[in-house]
Each structure stands twice: as structure tokens, then as C-alpha cells.
Amino acid sequence: METAAPSAVIVAIDGPSGTGKSSTSKAVAAKLGLRYLDTGAQYRAITWWMITNGVDTDDPQAIALAAGKPAIVSGTDPAAPTITVDGLDASGPIRTQEVTSKVSAVSAVPEVRTLITDLQRSIAAEAAEEAAGIVVEGRDIGTTVLPDADLKIFLTASAEARAARRNGELRGKEAADLAATKEALIKRDAADSGRKTSPLAKAGDAVEVDTTDLTLDQVIECVVTLVVERQGREARKPAARP
């Protein structure tokens, strides 16, 4: 029986902050020769643009009116992912505490989500046509952005573990005590899960991976195994007859 050649694979990895999504997604993409997209960076980028251009991030109408103005471009090389806004490198500015504190409000605006979702889908489609596939990480990828993804993974972890990891990422003034970091994460979870448009949620057909007691290398190996298994199933499917 003839089998089809391995086709491009689209992997959706969702979950709340601090579960290891970014580190895992980049490593998995690099190991398997896939592209990588950090969708959260895109929402941070548009939030940063709103802040620097004087848009009131507490005013959904003002956000909606300005949403289509910035040009956001994401580089998808997992070894060196990039993001620019109107041609400017935004990789550093989008990681400030000010952006972190406002990104949930901005990303909850339907007009913002529509624009960014369309951008994400076009990037995934391009990767499926021109490359081996892509790992897309975010909060609504498997449920809203790419509901037909070949593999959906939902990473979870305890609030305590996530707070400890997030504190380890912060430096200087950005670092907070563990209790404050945990409180901020829980507040962000509530905002993301409770928004009306594309809330943070586990897709019904997603594989859940609890990373609380796993090292990063163990999480990466787990996800790589899941992707390879999926690729194997696709390769064993009978080739379509002309």
C-alpha cells in the first residue's frame, strides 16, 4: 500500500503564563526543523504600540480604532525569533512590566483579536506550504486560531511553580517577591479565561501536559515525542488516489 510523504505539521501549544510554553515551543521547533510563532509577543507588540502612541489602554473603543495602524511582523526562526512594529525591533520593549500589566486589556478587545488572529493564520498557512510546519504557542491557538491543528497541547502547572519560574525570568526592578508574582499570574489567568472573545481554554482534543514536577528537558522530550508520533500517523495514511 502506498503511503503519503510526510506532510507539514501544525502544532498548537496553549496554556497560561509560566508553564514553559515559549521555551518548550522554541526547543521543539528547533529539534524538528519547524518554524515557531510566539503569538503572545504579537499581543505585547500591539500593546507596546498603544502605550507609546498615547492610546488609552483602559478605553476599548480607543484601542479598537487604533488596532489596524501598527504593522507587526514576526520572524519564525526558532533559533532567533524576531518581532518588529513599524520596522522597529520590539523584542525588548514588549517585555516590560508596563506592557505586561496592560496586555490583557488590549488583547481582550475583539478588533485586536481579529486582526492578530488573521495574522497568525496567515503565518501558519505559509509555514504549511513552504516549510515542514510550525509550532504556534499562545492561549487560544487550539480553540480559536487553529482549531484544525494537527496536534494540540495544553501545558499546565501549579500557580506556585509558575510564579517561581516567572520570578527567575525577571531582573532588577522587574523582579517581585514570589507572593506578588503568584497574585499577578492568577489575576492574568482570570482576565484571559474570563474574556468574552477567545478566552484561554483547553481544546477538547488537546493533550494536557502538567509541567509542575517536570524539568524543561523532560517537557521538551514529551512534546517532541507527541509531535513525532503525530507525524508518523500522518505518514502512514494511504496516499490520496488521483
Side-chain angles (χ1 to χ4, degrees):
M1 178 183 294
E2 292 185 3
T3 57
S7 57
V9 62
I10 305 298
V11 182
I13 299 184
D14 291 308
S17 299
T19 55
K21 289 197 309 295
S22 294
S23 298
T24 298
S25 299
K26 282 187 285 189
V28 169
K31 281 178 176 287
L32 298 178
L34 306 176
R35 292 186 183 178
Y36 160 74
L37 177 61
D38 175 2
T39 63
Q42 295 174 319
Y43 285 107
R44 284 176 170 273
I46 197 168
T47 300
W48 173 66
W49 185 91
M50 297 281 177
I51 293 170
T52 56
N53 283 275
V55 178
D56 184 356
T57 55
D58 292 322
D59 183 348
Q61 185 174 3
I63 293 171
L65 289 172
K69 294 181 179 180
I72 298 172
V73 178
S74 296
T76 56
D77 179 354
T82 59
I83 186 158
T84 63
V85 181
D86 294 338
L88 300 175
D89 178 13
S91 56
I94 66 172
R95 301 297 173 183
T96 64
Q97 187 57 41
E98 182 178 21
V99 171
T100 299
S101 68
K102 298 179 183 298
V103 66
S104 285
V106 173
S107 62
V109 176
E111 289 81 358
V112 170
R113 298 207 74 83
T114 296
L115 285 166
I116 299 297
T117 294
D118 287 346
L119 175 60
Q120 292 161 1
R121 286 173 176 165
S122 67
I123 292 171
E126 179 184 337
E129 291 178 1
E130 302 179 3
I134 190 168
V135 178
V136 183
E137 60 130 323
R139 286 171 168 75
D140 66 340
I141 310 306
T143 54
T144 301
V145 180
L146 300 170
D148 296 325
D150 299 299
L151 176 64
K152 303 174 188 177
I153 297 170
F154 193 86
L155 299 185
T156 64
S158 69
E160 290 77 13
R162 294 192 293 124
R165 291 168 186 166
R166 181 48 51 89
N167 252 25
E169 298 171 356
L170 302 175
R171 298 289 184 273
K173 293 181 181 180
E174 297 291 308
D177 65 81
L178 196 60
T181 302
K182 178 181 175 182
E183 182 179 353
L185 284 174
I186 292 173
K187 183 177 179 181
R188 175 77 188 274
D189 291 347
D192 289 345
S193 300
R195 64 175 177 242
K196 293 182 179 180
T197 304
S198 301
L200 165 66
K202 175 188 171 185
D205 55 348
V207 178
E208 183 170 323
V209 178
D210 189 333
T211 70
T212 301
D213 298 318
L214 300 178
T215 65
L216 177 59
D217 285 344
Q218 288 173 325
V219 178
I220 293 168
E221 184 60 32
C222 175
V223 175
V224 165
T225 299
L226 290 169
V227 177
V228 170
E229 288 177 349
R230 177 66 189 191
Q231 288 175 315
R233 289 198 299 272
E234 288 298 314
R236 289 191 296 272
K237 285 183 178 180
R241 294 185 181 279

